Amino acid sequence: MPGRALYNTKRWKQLRLEVLRRDGFTCQQTGVRLTGKAPAPNSPVVDHIRPHRGDEALFFDPANLQSVSKAWHDSEKQRQEKAGWLSDGL
């Protein structure tokens, strides 16, 4: 996956926490409170709305990030990606 190493940076970890705080630790797709610890279904995931494909500007853009539950990310988001719905960034 292009840009995979970006997830290990201090910049990403700080931005991830900022996004979770901005979104009130609430899943922006389902409204579930993100209080679990991974791999719990209600654990927090900061999701790239548009796939970044290694593009650092898109990777670190707060407007391209949303807080979601692990359950939503691992099911609905993956289904959308596999269906090709996100290939054009929509």
Side-chain angles (χ1 to χ4, degrees):
M1 174 184 188
R4 188 77 186 149
L6 296 172
Y7 288 101
N8 295 320
T9 64
K10 182 178 179 181
R11 183 178 175 193
W12 168 252
K13 292 173 185 179
Q14 290 174 336
L15 180 58
R16 180 182 182 278
L17 185 55
E18 288 173 19
V19 170
L20 291 167
R21 287 180 178 153
R22 177 196 71 193
D23 294 344
F25 284 85
T26 301
C27 178
Q28 300 303 290
Q29 297 297 319
T30 66
V32 168
R33 292 282 297 150
L34 303 174
T35 57
K37 183 175 179 181
N42 66 336
S43 61
V45 173
V46 174
D47 173 57
H48 290 88
I49 299 165
R50 290 179 52 206
H52 59 83
R53 293 184 177 82
D55 178 337
E56 286 191 38
L58 200 53
F59 186 92
F60 290 111
D61 180 2
N64 187 43
L65 299 171
Q66 64 179 342
S67 300
V68 296
S69 69
K70 180 168 175 36
W72 185 85
H73 185 268
D74 291 356
S75 62
E76 181 60 24
K77 179 68 179 224
Q78 299 307 312
R79 186 179 69 78
Q80 291 174 9
E81 288 181 356
K82 286 179 184 172
W85 293 358
L86 305 175
S87 62
D88 60 357
L90 299 176

